[in-house]
Structure formats: C-alpha cells, structure tokens
Amino acid sequence: MTDLPAVRGRLTPNRDLSDLTWLRVGGPADYLFQPADLKDLQEFLRNLPADMDVFPMGVGSNLIVRDGGLRSVVIRLGRGFNGIAVDGDTVTAGAAALDAHVARKSAEAGVDLTFLRTIPGSIGGAVRMNAGCYGSYLADVFVSAQAVLRDGSLATLSAEDLQFKYRQTELAPGAVLVSATLRGPKDDPDALAARMEEQLRKRDETQPTKERSAGSTFRNPAGFSSTGKADDVMDLKAWKVIDNAGLRGATLGGAQMSEKHSNFMINAGGATAADLEGLGENVRKKVYADSGIWLEWEIMRVGDPKWS
C-alpha cells in the first residue's frame, strides 16, 4: 500500500462510502481524508504521490458511488470549512457550509440568496454543479471561489475560470473547492424568511423529501431549471418526458422512480448502486424510444461496478 503524507486530520483506508451518500449505496474508497484545516489540505495534496487520483466529495446529496467503490483518495471537508460570513451584500461561505444554512444566515442579514434554501448539499457542490432552482443559479450570484489545486497551491477562481453552464463547470482535475464568495440583492429579512417558508412548503408538496433520494436524477432537456412560476413551460422538463413514457413509479430491484416526482430516484429499500444506475439507464432508453430525447444524468456516478 502506498505511503501517504502525514496529516493532522483523519485519513481512513478502505472507507465504505455508503453512509456518506443520501442514497446510502456504494463501496469503499481507497482512502477517505478529512483535513483539519486549509493548511492540512494543502500539505496533503502537495505531498500526495502524483499518480493518486483525488475525488472531492460534498455531503453526497447528488451522487451514486458504484458498488465496487472508488480507487481514489476521497476528500471530504468538515467543520474547518463550514463558516459563513456576511459583509453588506456579500456572503463568503466555506465549501462545507450547507446551502440551506447559507440561505438562512444571508436572509437574516437581509441578503437574498433564498433560492439556495431548498437545494440539497453544500456550497462546494453548488458551485461545482452551478446549482439552481426557481430560475436562479449559483452563477447569478457568484463573485469568486477559492480552491486548493492538486499541487497544494491556493487559487482564486473567477466566473471566467469556472465557465458556468447548466449544471456544470470547468474545474481542474484534483482541485478542491474550499470557499465561495456570493453577492445577492438586499431585501427585508422578514420577507426573505417568508419566501423561504413558501419554497419549503412547495418543495414538500411536490418532492419525496421523506425518502432516500439524490435530488433530480436527470437534467431538464430544455437546458434550464424550473422557474416555479405559473407560466413555466413543461414540455421539455425531465419529469414530463418520463411521465409521457409511462415510467412514473418504475422499479428495478430496490430502486424506484418516485410516484410523487418522477424525476426523483429513490432507494425504496435495499437498493444497490447497480439497481439505481440500471434503473436510470432503463429510463433513458425508454424515454428515447418514446420521444427521441436522450436524458442526461444530473446525479454524478463515480467508481467501479462490483464484479461477482
């Protein structure tokens, strides 16, 4: 086994990842590294053998780790990376800060980042995937981000560096986002709190929030998020083309497309990663046969299948 750099945080070999994903599936990573602080992360990456892959992992809210696990050092940021600071209309949040916490703390200071309130996951993942809902995207409020590069250096990234697109960005392999600075419009804190309560009510009415899911399974073919407005066009929404193909509630093993929201895949009990990914691929093929549309995965799938 390769000698790895000494750390002050926690470095765990052969760490099962299933309990770190919202879908509760997946095999082990070669190593899981939870750095103590920024310097610990920088020194680790600087001294890590160049042939070792690095996979930054957030809270696992939009992720399938395959059953054979991940041949990488998985880096998961924790308490040293979850601070939130508000200065006027600018909010700087650690990559491990939960989107919902950033929305709430910003609202208390009169800064409108309310669209983050119902997005599962952390700010690092939100930047990486240009998360969005209700017609707003992380890119709309983005000022800059800091990342530790694979050589251990600390870089400040602009919007131009990240090249934001619908549910994707450009980030150098092995780079670990550590913080982001966002800017939102000012508004009355009570009004912002009321808006978030309404968003939560709407989410709970339409999404399987009590189930083990990973958020939206597929990107909308239209190339943008739902706006939540009455005049929202449904024709090219992922849930709509899934419904049209008769796949609401479709199952494979312990995996199911939710009856409540057909673009949400759930672990209905005992699902493997192979069940979930296999169901998703079945849905993609049947939607294509029905509509000529190839759905693109929004859930990230990583690692190796399990060979029996």
Side-chain angles (χ1 to χ4, degrees):
M1 190 170 285
T2 304
D3 288 333
L4 279 99
V7 300
R8 288 178 290 107
R10 182 180 299 175
L11 182 62
T12 309
N14 200 37
R15 173 61 158 84
D16 184 88
L17 298 176
S18 59
D19 65 323
L20 300 181
T21 71
W22 285 25
L23 284 164
R24 293 295 188 266
V25 298
D30 286 350
Y31 296 91
L32 174 69
F33 176 44
Q34 298 161 281
D37 51 31
L38 179 61
K39 188 176 180 183
D40 195 28
L41 174 60
Q42 288 183 272
E43 290 178 351
F44 178 80
L45 287 176
R46 183 178 299 120
N47 295 307
L48 185 69
D51 61 349
M52 294 204 70
D53 287 335
V54 168
F55 178 73
M57 179 178 177
V59 294
S61 60
N62 200 224
L63 179 70
I64 292 173
V65 177
R66 296 186 179 108
D67 299 305
L70 199 51
R71 307 287 70 79
S72 299
V73 178
V74 171
I75 296 179
R76 195 167 193 261
L77 305 182
R79 288 183 182 173
F81 299 86
N82 65 354
I84 304 168
V86 183
D87 182 9
D89 62 355
T90 301
V91 179
T92 298
L98 295 179
D99 299 333
H101 291 175
V102 173
R104 284 205 307 264
K105 187 156 186 177
S106 301
E108 288 168 4
V111 180
D112 184 0
L113 297 178
T114 53
F115 76 96
L116 289 170
R117 180 64 183 86
T118 59
I119 296 177
S122 58
I123 287 296
V127 171
R128 181 73 178 87
M129 296 299 293
N130 190 17
C133 63
Y134 306 126
S136 296
Y137 300 88
L138 198 288
D140 298 332
V141 297
F142 181 83
V143 176
S144 65
Q146 285 201 309
V148 177
L149 305 183
R150 184 58 180 79
D151 64 2
S153 61
L154 185 65
T156 298
L157 305 177
S158 67
E160 186 177 358
D161 293 325
L162 289 170
Q163 293 290 303
F164 286 105
K165 298 182 181 69
Y166 174 56
R167 295 294 183 266
Q168 59 185 311
T169 53
E170 300 292 333
L171 190 64
V176 181
L177 290 164
V178 293
S179 68
T181 299
L182 313 174
R183 179 176 291 121
K186 297 287 285 183
D187 205 339
D188 175 64
D190 291 339
L192 296 176
R195 187 178 306 160
M196 290 189 294
E197 285 302 313
E198 175 61 17
Q199 290 171 353
L200 288 171
R201 184 192 63 76
K202 189 181 296 185
R203 182 195 66 178
D204 291 345
E205 283 179 358
T206 59
Q207 298 177 8
T209 53
K210 305 278 192 250
E211 306 282 356
R212 286 182 180 170
S213 85
S216 296
T217 305
F218 302 107
R219 300 173 183 174
N220 285 326
F224 52 83
S225 299
S226 299
T227 65
K229 296 177 181 177
D231 61 355
D232 204 354
V233 178
M234 300 300 173
D235 297 352
L236 285 176
K237 295 294 167 41
W239 72 264
K240 180 64 171 167
V241 296
I242 292 170
D243 272 7
N244 290 348
L247 295 168
R248 184 178 288 260
T251 61
L252 178 66
Q256 181 182 18
M257 302 310 292
S258 169
E259 292 278 6
K260 192 169 189 179
H261 191 308
S262 54
N263 192 32
F264 277 62
M265 180 186 288
I266 62 173
N267 182 347
T272 63
D275 289 342
L276 293 156
E277 190 169 14
L279 175 59
E281 288 301 317
N282 288 347
V283 168
R284 292 182 73 233
K285 291 171 187 173
K286 290 176 181 177
V287 165
Y288 180 75
D290 181 69
S291 66
I293 292 171
W294 275 115
L295 290 172
E296 294 183 35
W297 283 90
E298 184 164 325
I299 295 175
M300 183 181 288
R301 293 108 51 235
V302 298
D304 301 323
K306 188 173 185 179
W307 303 107
S308 56

